[in-house]
Amino acid sequence: MAQTEAKSRPADAIATTIDYLIPTSRINRRFWAPGKEYNTGTYAPYPVTIHNARLSAEPITLDTHGFCLSSQPSAIHDFHDQDELARDYPAEVIAIAKRLTGADLVIPMGGQLRSPVISGPGFQPPAAEAHVDFNTRSAQKIARALYDRTQSGAPGYGRFIAFSLWRTFSPPPQDWPLALCDFRSVGDEDAVANVKVDVDEIPTGDALFAPIEGEDEMTAATIFHHNPAHRWWYFPDMTADEVILIKFHDSDHDRAWRAPHTAFHDTSRPDTVTRESYEFRAIAYFST
């Protein structure tokens, strides 16, 4: 009988690097084109230690850390099938988010396939720097516009959470897992806006830095300067039955209200496989 090779075991912690914005970077934009992304900001790798969150001495919770892991099996048969994803996955996101947050209403926005290997249409590379997908102004604007557009005549909301539901559907261990930063270790002084610019083709040269009409009104993410106080975590050996809910912005700032995150290259294990993941953005609303 043939013997199956034993899988490697995850380390308690991984010493690696994460890309952060350098202090002298001034014009910070993220150009997004199909299959490609390009940052004009200047980043550099900084040494970090990423701890195994499955071994955490305290529970990792949404309102303390800004993210959480949950077992939430999906009925999706093929995550490469974008028609199936568009048809069936938003309802799953709504149900999962209501269970994990207690929200009264969840309005889906859209999903994104990611992999370091662009193996088909619809895939983008993983984001490779510490970031949060929306800054405060963008989150507030998007939450209000989405609610007003879809909930005509509704009584309004008292609180919202802009979030991503992240799931890998490639087998473990993944080569580019997701690292997440404990909200409590991040200061407001660490954060900088990064404007998202949608284009058909990535510009080059001086066009990357040329003035853009209406840039102040464009959606912006938050990127971060390095701070040695940042505490990073990851969940090794995730399966397709698990999800991570990540806060982009919680309007209740008495709780953990955002969680910086990034992909990182795990070179500590010899048997990693190419990561494929699906992330879905939505807004959770709480009644007044």
Side-chain angles (χ1 to χ4, degrees), residues 62-277:
L62 197 60
D63 286 340
T64 299
H65 297 78
F67 58 91
C68 68
L69 179 76
S70 182
S71 177
Q72 301 286 344
S74 173
I76 298 296
H77 293 96
D78 181 5
F79 277 89
H80 291 95
D81 185 339
Q82 295 187 64
D83 290 336
E84 183 184 11
L85 287 174
R87 182 184 67 243
D88 298 335
Y89 202 64
E92 292 190 4
V93 172
I94 291 169
I96 292 169
K98 285 183 174 180
R99 285 195 292 269
L100 295 181
T101 68
D104 303 296
L105 171 71
V106 176
I107 303 178
M109 295 177 63
Q112 180 63 62
L113 293 160
R114 292 194 186 272
S115 177
V117 177
I118 306 303
S119 57
F123 276 90
Q124 291 289 116
E129 72 287 329
H131 72 285
V132 173
D133 294 45
F134 301 145
N135 66 1
T136 295
R137 184 185 62 80
S138 291
Q140 292 171 339
K141 183 177 179 181
I142 291 168
R144 171 52 60 190
L146 188 60
Y147 188 90
D148 290 347
R149 186 170 69 247
T150 62
Q151 307 297 309
S152 178
Y157 57 91
R159 174 189 169 209
F160 75 88
I161 301 173
F163 70 91
S164 176
L165 195 73
W166 191 94
R167 185 190 301 268
T168 181
F169 54 91
S170 53
Q174 291 85 25
D175 58 351
W176 282 83
L178 189 67
L180 303 116
C181 193
D182 187 335
F183 162 80
R184 297 169 295 180
S185 68
V186 182
D188 288 344
E189 68 278 5
D190 302 334
V192 178
N194 192 29
V195 175
K196 182 174 183 282
V197 186
D198 293 315
V199 292
D200 294 326
E201 295 289 339
I202 304 295
T204 59
D206 291 343
L208 289 165
F209 304 97
I212 298 176
E213 185 177 354
E215 183 169 2
D216 289 345
E217 296 302 315
M218 290 180 174
T219 298
T222 302
I223 47 182
F224 294 87
H225 296 303
H226 176 256
N227 186 328
H230 292 169
R231 294 193 297 273
W232 287 94
W233 298 92
Y234 85 117
F235 295 95
D237 294 336
M238 283 188 66
T239 72
D241 286 343
E242 295 178 305
V243 297
I244 300 174
L245 196 148
I246 311 163
K247 286 186 181 182
F248 296 159
H249 188 89
D250 187 336
S251 62
D252 181 356
H253 284 202
D254 289 333
R255 312 166 189 252
W257 58 269
R258 67 181 176 190
H261 52 280
T262 183
F264 74 98
H265 192 195
D266 184 2
T267 59
S268 69
R269 303 173 73 177
D271 54 347
T272 57
V273 299
T274 301
R275 164 194 149 182
E276 292 184 313
S277 62

